[in-house]
Amino acid sequence: MGPRHLVVVGGGMVAQRLVEALRDRDAAGTWRVTVLAEEPRRPYDRVALTTYFSGRDPEDLALGDAALWSDPLVTLRRGEAVTAVDRVARTVTTATGRTERYDHLVLATGSSAWVPPIEGADLEGVFVYRTIDDVAALRGYVEQLATTRPVVRGAVVGGGLLGLEAAGALQALGARTTVLQVGTHLMSAQVDLGGGEALRRLINGLGVGVRVNAATTRIRAHRRGGVGRLDLADGGRVDADVVVVAAGVRPRDELARDAGLATGERGGVVVDDTCLTSDPDVSAVGEVACIQGACIGLVAPGYAMAEVTVDRLLGGAAVFPGADTATKLKLAGVDVASFGDAFGATPGALEVVWADPVGGVYKKLVLSDDARTLLGGVLVGDASAYASLRPMLGRELPGDPSAYLVPAGAGGAPDLELPDDAGVCSCNNVSAGAVRAAVTEHGCTDVAGVKACTRAGTSCGSCLPLVTKLTGTELAKLGVTVSKALCEHFELSRAQLYDAVRVAGLTTFTEVVARFGNGGRGCDICKPAVASILATTAPAHVLEGERAALQDTNDHVMANLQKDGSYSVVPRIPGGEVTPEGLIAIGAVAKDFGLYTKITGGQRIDLFGARIDQLPLIWQRLVDAGFESGHAYGKSLRTVKSCVGSTWCRYGVQDSVALAVLLELRYRGLRSPHKLKLGVSGCARECAEARGKDVGVIATDKGWNLYVGGNGGFTPRHARLLAEDLDTETLIRTIDRFLLYYVRTADRLQRTAPWVDDVEGGLDGLRAVVLDDSLGICADLDAQMERHVEEYEDEWRATLEDPEKLRRFASFVNAPDVPDPSLAYVQERGQVRPATADERAAGTTTDRGGPVLVATTLEVRR
Amino acid sequence: MSAWTPVCRLEDLAPERGVAALLHPVADEQEGGRPAEQVALFRLVDDRVLAVQQHDPFSDAFVMSRGIVGTRTVDGEVRTTVASPMYKQVFDLVTGRCLEAVGKHPVRDLPADLRTYPVRLRDGVVEVGAAPSALVGEPAGREVA
Ligand SMILES: Cc1cc2nc3c(=O)[nH]c(=O)nc-3n(C[C@H](O)[C@H](O)[C@H](O)COP(=O)(O)OP(=O)(O)OC[C@H]3O[C@@H](n4cnc5c(N)ncnc54)[C@H](O)[C@@H]3O)c2cc1C
Ligand code: FES
């Protein structure tokens, strides 16, 4: 008998989790699953929908591992809305006429945005906020408006979690926005009046207007078309060119109703604690399910229902554990969280309140009548205690509860030792014990590892501070140092050392290790790190004086060490633009020295198999032909990749090659914590794959879009949008600052993608630093980059001019002209490659010309 | 075998940066004599000179002289070290002992520790002696049939 057929209606967040959990657990393949999804895309992270405004790539919202959808037991049909369920025949029918027979059916249809029946709600310019398509349409509309009028005015109907997120998004799009809340205060479902008042001040601080007790009665059209104004019940009115309705959601239970399944009084498909509906062959999960008497508009309970359903399908006995309704507002600059019994509804509950009305801070804990057990809380303005308090819900708080409310500096919250069964990540249902086990049993050594292993912190991210702390504590218990100390010679992290060295104005390793070190003479970790720091704080040649002793062999001989002890050579080819004469010169060098040649991913040419003593000879030829070091060996700028751009391409809108050349010449030689790659595309087709780069620039018809933090390698990441439609001058200034801020503050060997995540405030925080100068360091960064550009010199040319430096390239100190006898090569596909151990033993190696026994090269010398 | 081979002057060596030296000329080997023996020489900040085999047992390449010189505290004692430039194993420069294998094994089951060579300074000239033969593992030049 083949596998049974599970049909899931709806391809949202909970459906994704259900399929993922099923495929995880059903190793025997007893079920195959078909997901019928109305939206034209794979399930995505709706919780992070607002980030679509800054990222704009639906891929950034992808959920889980994409491989799930190529599992042979999983079928996802997108753009396929189910229109009817026949419970007798056990089939569903879709709008396109497809019929699927099921053995078990799961309704995961979520909710739709509820639009109150007000006149004018169907006008052009009135939007809801639920899907990628909604958000894309809203954005397009606002951008279109912005081209025709100086100020775009926005209004958001609804002052709940969603409304505030939407208001933040509108504001970010440049619209001057007002939030209209029917009730007495903002987020009235989660916070009390006191909290709502503090929240209003914070929201005002963002430049967003707030009107409470403001019931919209009518939306009126503008005489030029589209919306123009909202009328309020109290006779007031609000002008608006765009309106977002965020007045609540309604469960999409229409299929269930039509099929005669029981539904709740206020909607939703009624299910029991096993998530079964009134028909034992049909389950409902997520927002559409009315469980324990209510529909819950949060993802974590939905995930729990998915897990319960899967367990039951596989013969288990799981029941729904009850909903965790803790919430945290995701709006930059506004910290709000509420959890548990936020309103103190439990009989006898006590409230401990701490408020700073001026600072817009309001914090409240709800405790049991003996003031010991934590029942709930509201944190506005400073929700830093949220991550550690939430798991303590229903447990006894150690110590004086008010200690958790006073501001951090003033004593701070006591350290909580969470019990193993306390939930840490409610999105993914991960307990403190599971996080600890990731370290103690599964060998995770950092937060990234723990996230990958447990999934904690991979959804809304609000639990990350706690995950980080637990991970750190566990690692420390294991004796693993989690301090950011560079190595045994320096207590400081790279970023701290950078600052210390810069401020103290030190210029040599001896000074640095004497002043900031722990004794000893450094090592292969701190020496290159200090060399890299000094390269931008006190620029000098890599081989200057004591600095030469700090460099990795790659930087020391300015070439890339290969597995047999030979090196590879890469001349710079800015933007990948090269003349025929240049190509011939490189070709001649390769031919004369018998080098293996390969085109790199960075649009240049790598020459392999050069002996250390050949490097100066090779470079003399290259420098004579007009080439300079490509820094392929350094933790520094590598290349700026470009597509051919508007000069030749039929579709290009800007000259991407010219910009790439300009950028490559500007940043060449810039030493950084890790290698840096840039890309420039001449149009949105993105042929230069700029979004895979640390800095990606994509032409628009108005200028350039700037993306940052893209990395290839072990954990590939797409770059994220930092700023749009910049003119060339602003673009360059912004990249200058981004790069130097990275150079100054990243950890050793930390690439830009994880660094951007680590910057305080993430991408928004970074934007504030480099665009709005929130740290007041931009003038300093600009000056530092000016100096870099002015003082750049080609380090190979400088080396060739200095006999002292050239002496470092001797093969043997007592026989400088004797080539290393250990190198041996064989021919393959018309070029040389290092001989294998067996080939050496068999003596079939070649001197890159004819076969000889011991291989040394007979290059042509000039 | 002459016990000491003069290789260079002390001032030819930069502090904390290695160089390679040949103990027997390659010509000897080509004429059927002893294989060329490559050593890595390091001058420390206090002008001591230390020598170990140039062959890196973990990568099978002759590169030890190109590693970064430093120190490491082992059991409370500060040891002078060199890290292989290839896969970053750390060796004690005085004893040749491999202090950190970074999860790798030497090729062909060679000893993980480096052979050390005695070094002396005569009138400013650095001289390298023969490695104690008991410790000789891999010949320092490759043997090719
Ligand atoms: C902007 C925003 C921010 C949010 N922030 C948070 C937050 O911070 N924390 C939190 O916990 N929750 C948050 N939520 C709520 C969270 O996104 C939902 O709880 C979660 O998505 C519910 O998952 P679901 O699978 O039940 O429904 P959905 O994700 O809505 O998926 C249902 C899917 O079913 C499809 N569908 C419906 N009917 C049919 C049909 N007949 N045939 C085929 N397909 C159908 C729909 O098109 C939809 O794609 C937020 C929501 C939004 C919009
Ligand atoms: S609580 Fe949302 S990711 Fe952990």
Tab-separated table of all heavy atoms in Angstrom, chain A residues 733-762:
chain	number	residue	atom	x	y	z
A	733	ARG	N	30.445	58.050	-1.010
A	733	ARG	CA	30.621	58.437	0.382
A	733	ARG	C	30.028	57.376	1.322
A	733	ARG	O	30.607	57.022	2.337
A	733	ARG	CB	29.956	59.793	0.626
A	733	ARG	CG	30.407	60.432	1.920
A	733	ARG	CD	29.829	61.827	2.078
A	733	ARG	NE	28.389	61.788	2.022
A	733	ARG	CZ	27.646	62.594	1.267
A	733	ARG	NH1	28.229	63.490	0.503
A	733	ARG	NH2	26.339	62.498	1.271
A	734	THR	N	28.868	56.850	0.928
A	734	THR	CA	28.226	55.846	1.768
A	734	THR	C	29.050	54.557	1.805
A	734	THR	O	29.213	53.944	2.858
A	734	THR	CB	26.801	55.568	1.253
A	734	THR	OG1	26.142	56.816	1.041
A	734	THR	CG2	26.003	54.758	2.257
A	735	ILE	N	29.585	54.155	0.659
A	735	ILE	CA	30.417	52.939	0.650
A	735	ILE	C	31.681	53.182	1.477
A	735	ILE	O	32.107	52.326	2.259
A	735	ILE	CB	30.781	52.523	-0.790
A	735	ILE	CG1	29.514	52.261	-1.609
A	735	ILE	CG2	31.659	51.275	-0.778
A	735	ILE	CD1	29.787	51.923	-3.060
A	736	ASP	N	32.288	54.367	1.319
A	736	ASP	CA	33.473	54.710	2.128
A	736	ASP	C	33.195	54.422	3.599
A	736	ASP	O	33.963	53.769	4.294
A	736	ASP	CB	33.779	56.219	2.054
A	736	ASP	CG	34.413	56.642	0.730
A	736	ASP	OD1	34.666	55.759	-0.096
A	736	ASP	OD2	34.631	57.860	0.558
A	737	ARG	N	32.079	54.953	4.060
A	737	ARG	CA	31.764	54.858	5.488
A	737	ARG	C	31.432	53.438	5.894
A	737	ARG	O	31.862	52.974	6.946
A	737	ARG	CB	30.577	55.775	5.813
A	737	ARG	CG	30.933	57.236	5.652
A	737	ARG	CD	29.698	58.091	5.781
A	737	ARG	NE	30.028	59.504	5.640
A	737	ARG	CZ	29.115	60.467	5.656
A	737	ARG	NH1	27.835	60.157	5.804
A	737	ARG	NH2	29.472	61.718	5.513
A	738	PHE	N	30.674	52.760	5.035
A	738	PHE	CA	30.337	51.367	5.334
A	738	PHE	C	31.613	50.548	5.501
A	738	PHE	O	31.785	49.818	6.480
A	738	PHE	CB	29.480	50.787	4.202
A	738	PHE	CG	29.282	49.302	4.297
A	738	PHE	CD1	28.353	48.766	5.178
A	738	PHE	CD2	30.049	48.432	3.538
A	738	PHE	CE1	28.177	47.398	5.285
A	738	PHE	CE2	29.875	47.053	3.637
A	738	PHE	CZ	28.936	46.545	4.511
A	739	LEU	N	32.513	50.685	4.538
A	739	LEU	CA	33.726	49.862	4.574
A	739	LEU	C	34.561	50.171	5.803
A	739	LEU	O	35.018	49.263	6.511
A	739	LEU	CB	34.550	50.083	3.302
A	739	LEU	CG	33.931	49.539	2.009
A	739	LEU	CD1	34.811	49.883	0.813
A	739	LEU	CD2	33.745	48.017	2.100
A	740	LEU	N	34.761	51.449	6.085
A	740	LEU	CA	35.630	51.776	7.213
A	740	LEU	C	34.971	51.448	8.549
A	740	LEU	O	35.647	51.054	9.495
A	740	LEU	CB	36.050	53.243	7.162
A	740	LEU	CG	37.233	53.475	6.214
A	740	LEU	CD1	37.592	54.939	6.159
A	740	LEU	CD2	38.448	52.650	6.637
A	741	TYR	N	33.665	51.580	8.618
A	741	TYR	CA	32.987	51.206	9.861
A	741	TYR	C	33.158	49.707	10.092
A	741	TYR	O	33.408	49.255	11.209
A	741	TYR	CB	31.502	51.596	9.777
A	741	TYR	CG	30.765	51.481	11.092
A	741	TYR	CD1	31.318	51.930	12.277
A	741	TYR	CD2	29.494	50.908	11.129
A	741	TYR	CE1	30.634	51.814	13.472
A	741	TYR	CE2	28.805	50.795	12.326
A	741	TYR	CZ	29.378	51.244	13.496
A	741	TYR	OH	28.715	51.119	14.678
A	742	TYR	N	33.092	48.953	9.005
A	742	TYR	CA	33.350	47.507	9.079
A	742	TYR	C	34.800	47.242	9.487
A	742	TYR	O	35.069	46.467	10.404
A	742	TYR	CB	33.026	46.883	7.718
A	742	TYR	CG	33.548	45.481	7.512
A	742	TYR	CD1	33.055	44.414	8.251
A	742	TYR	CD2	34.534	45.228	6.569
A	742	TYR	CE1	33.529	43.129	8.055
A	742	TYR	CE2	35.011	43.931	6.355
A	742	TYR	CZ	34.515	42.895	7.107
A	742	TYR	OH	34.989	41.627	6.906
A	743	VAL	N	35.712	47.920	8.838
A	743	VAL	CA	37.130	47.722	9.147
A	743	VAL	C	37.387	48.013	10.629
A	743	VAL	O	38.131	47.303	11.294
A	743	VAL	CB	38.001	48.644	8.256
A	743	VAL	CG1	39.425	48.719	8.775
A	743	VAL	CG2	37.987	48.154	6.814
A	744	ARG	N	36.731	49.026	11.148
A	744	ARG	CA	36.982	49.400	12.537
A	744	ARG	C	36.347	48.462	13.553
A	744	ARG	O	36.901	48.245	14.615
A	744	ARG	CB	36.421	50.804	12.805
A	744	ARG	CG	37.249	51.905	12.207
A	744	ARG	CD	36.685	53.238	12.646
A	744	ARG	NE	37.537	54.311	12.155
A	744	ARG	CZ	37.451	55.558	12.591
A	744	ARG	NH1	36.557	55.871	13.503
A	744	ARG	NH2	38.249	56.474	12.119
A	745	THR	N	35.168	47.949	13.236
A	745	THR	CA	34.408	47.319	14.323
A	745	THR	C	34.147	45.828	14.155
A	745	THR	O	33.590	45.220	15.060
A	745	THR	CB	33.032	48.001	14.490
A	745	THR	OG1	32.310	47.837	13.268
A	745	THR	CG2	33.169	49.465	14.794
A	746	ALA	N	34.517	45.237	13.039
A	746	ALA	CA	34.229	43.811	12.887
A	746	ALA	C	35.232	42.988	13.679
A	746	ALA	O	36.314	43.453	14.011
A	746	ALA	CB	34.263	43.419	11.424
A	747	ASP	N	34.837	41.756	13.955
A	747	ASP	CA	35.746	40.832	14.597
A	747	ASP	C	36.735	40.323	13.572
A	747	ASP	O	36.500	40.405	12.385
A	747	ASP	CB	34.940	39.643	15.123
A	747	ASP	CG	34.992	39.590	16.625
A	747	ASP	OD1	35.807	40.335	17.198
A	747	ASP	OD2	34.236	38.808	17.218
A	748	ARG	N	37.804	39.725	14.067
A	748	ARG	CA	38.781	39.122	13.187
A	748	ARG	C	38.085	38.049	12.335
A	748	ARG	O	37.341	37.233	12.860
A	748	ARG	CB	39.850	38.506	14.082
A	748	ARG	CG	40.933	37.828	13.378
A	748	ARG	CD	41.866	37.205	14.403
A	748	ARG	NE	42.539	36.107	13.775
A	748	ARG	CZ	42.129	34.851	13.744
A	748	ARG	NH1	41.112	34.495	14.337
A	748	ARG	NH2	42.775	33.923	13.110
A	749	LEU	N	38.318	38.101	11.044
A	749	LEU	CA	37.765	37.119	10.098
A	749	LEU	C	36.234	37.090	10.077
A	749	LEU	O	35.636	36.119	9.644
A	749	LEU	CB	38.284	35.708	10.383
A	749	LEU	CG	39.791	35.530	10.242
A	749	LEU	CD1	40.165	34.056	10.346
A	749	LEU	CD2	40.299	36.086	8.923
A	750	GLN	N	35.600	38.165	10.540
A	750	GLN	CA	34.143	38.227	10.468
A	750	GLN	C	33.773	38.886	9.142
A	750	GLN	O	34.198	39.996	8.866
A	750	GLN	CB	33.599	39.066	11.634
A	750	GLN	CG	32.085	39.097	11.677
A	750	GLN	CD	31.563	39.913	12.851
A	750	GLN	OE1	32.145	40.926	13.215
A	750	GLN	NE2	30.477	39.463	13.436
A	751	ARG	N	33.006	38.197	8.342
A	751	ARG	CA	32.625	38.772	7.052
A	751	ARG	C	31.480	39.758	7.247
A	751	ARG	O	30.901	39.864	8.323
A	751	ARG	CB	32.261	37.657	6.076
A	751	ARG	CG	33.507	36.791	5.775
A	751	ARG	CD	33.464	36.165	4.425
A	751	ARG	NE	33.383	37.165	3.366
A	751	ARG	CZ	33.235	36.859	2.085
A	751	ARG	NH1	33.123	35.610	1.719
A	751	ARG	NH2	33.185	37.804	1.181
A	752	THR	N	31.137	40.475	6.198
A	752	THR	CA	30.197	41.584	6.384
A	752	THR	C	28.792	41.108	6.742
A	752	THR	O	28.096	41.797	7.479
A	752	THR	CB	30.116	42.483	5.140
A	752	THR	OG1	29.809	41.670	4.016
A	752	THR	CG2	31.416	43.225	4.910
A	753	ALA	N	28.359	39.945	6.243
A	753	ALA	CA	26.970	39.523	6.519
A	753	ALA	C	26.737	39.347	8.021
A	753	ALA	O	25.833	39.963	8.588
A	753	ALA	CB	26.632	38.257	5.745
A	754	PRO	N	27.546	38.521	8.708
A	754	PRO	CA	27.343	38.416	10.154
A	754	PRO	C	27.646	39.718	10.884
A	754	PRO	O	27.041	40.011	11.918
A	754	PRO	CB	28.315	37.305	10.581
A	754	PRO	CG	29.255	37.110	9.452
A	754	PRO	CD	28.554	37.578	8.217
A	755	TRP	N	28.545	40.508	10.330
A	755	TRP	CA	28.847	41.781	10.985
A	755	TRP	C	27.622	42.692	10.973
A	755	TRP	O	27.275	43.295	11.994
A	755	TRP	CB	30.045	42.451	10.310
A	755	TRP	CG	30.297	43.841	10.824
A	755	TRP	CD1	30.831	44.172	12.036
A	755	TRP	CD2	29.986	45.070	10.165
A	755	TRP	NE1	30.875	45.539	12.158
A	755	TRP	CE2	30.372	46.112	11.027
A	755	TRP	CE3	29.433	45.393	8.920
A	755	TRP	CZ2	30.209	47.449	10.688
A	755	TRP	CZ3	29.276	46.721	8.584
A	755	TRP	CH2	29.664	47.735	9.462
A	756	VAL	N	26.952	42.780	9.831
A	756	VAL	CA	25.755	43.642	9.756
A	756	VAL	C	24.725	43.176	10.787
A	756	VAL	O	24.096	43.982	11.468
A	756	VAL	CB	25.153	43.646	8.329
A	756	VAL	CG1	23.801	44.359	8.314
A	756	VAL	CG2	26.105	44.313	7.343
A	757	ASP	N	24.604	41.843	10.936
A	757	ASP	CA	23.672	41.328	11.952
A	757	ASP	C	24.081	41.763	13.354
A	757	ASP	O	23.236	41.949	14.225
A	757	ASP	CB	23.633	39.790	11.924
A	757	ASP	CG	22.960	39.275	10.662
A	757	ASP	OD1	22.264	40.070	10.005
A	757	ASP	OD2	23.138	38.094	10.340
A	758	ASP	N	25.386	41.867	13.561
A	758	ASP	CA	25.899	42.185	14.899
A	758	ASP	C	25.878	43.672	15.220
A	758	ASP	O	25.931	44.052	16.387
A	758	ASP	CB	27.355	41.701	15.035
A	758	ASP	CG	27.415	40.262	15.495
A	758	ASP	OD1	26.337	39.647	15.593
A	758	ASP	OD2	28.524	39.767	15.753
A	759	VAL	N	25.872	44.516	14.196
A	759	VAL	CA	25.849	45.959	14.441
A	759	VAL	C	24.607	46.265	15.272
A	759	VAL	O	23.548	45.698	15.026
A	759	VAL	CB	25.777	46.744	13.110
A	759	VAL	CG1	25.475	48.217	13.368
A	759	VAL	CG2	27.073	46.602	12.335
A	760	GLU	N	24.756	47.132	16.251
A	760	GLU	CA	23.606	47.431	17.091
A	760	GLU	C	22.477	47.990	16.219
A	760	GLU	O	22.667	48.913	15.448
A	760	GLU	CB	24.002	48.448	18.162
A	760	GLU	CG	23.148	48.299	19.394
A	760	GLU	CD	23.523	49.298	20.460
A	760	GLU	OE1	24.726	49.577	20.611
A	760	GLU	OE2	22.597	49.795	21.118
A	761	GLY	N	21.305	47.361	16.318
A	761	GLY	CA	20.178	47.800	15.505
A	761	GLY	C	20.177	47.202	14.105
A	761	GLY	O	19.344	47.552	13.289
A	762	GLY	N	21.146	46.302	13.818
A	762	GLY	CA	21.157	45.617	12.531
A	762	GLY	C	21.262	46.598	11.373
A	762	GLY	O	21.950	47.612	11.460
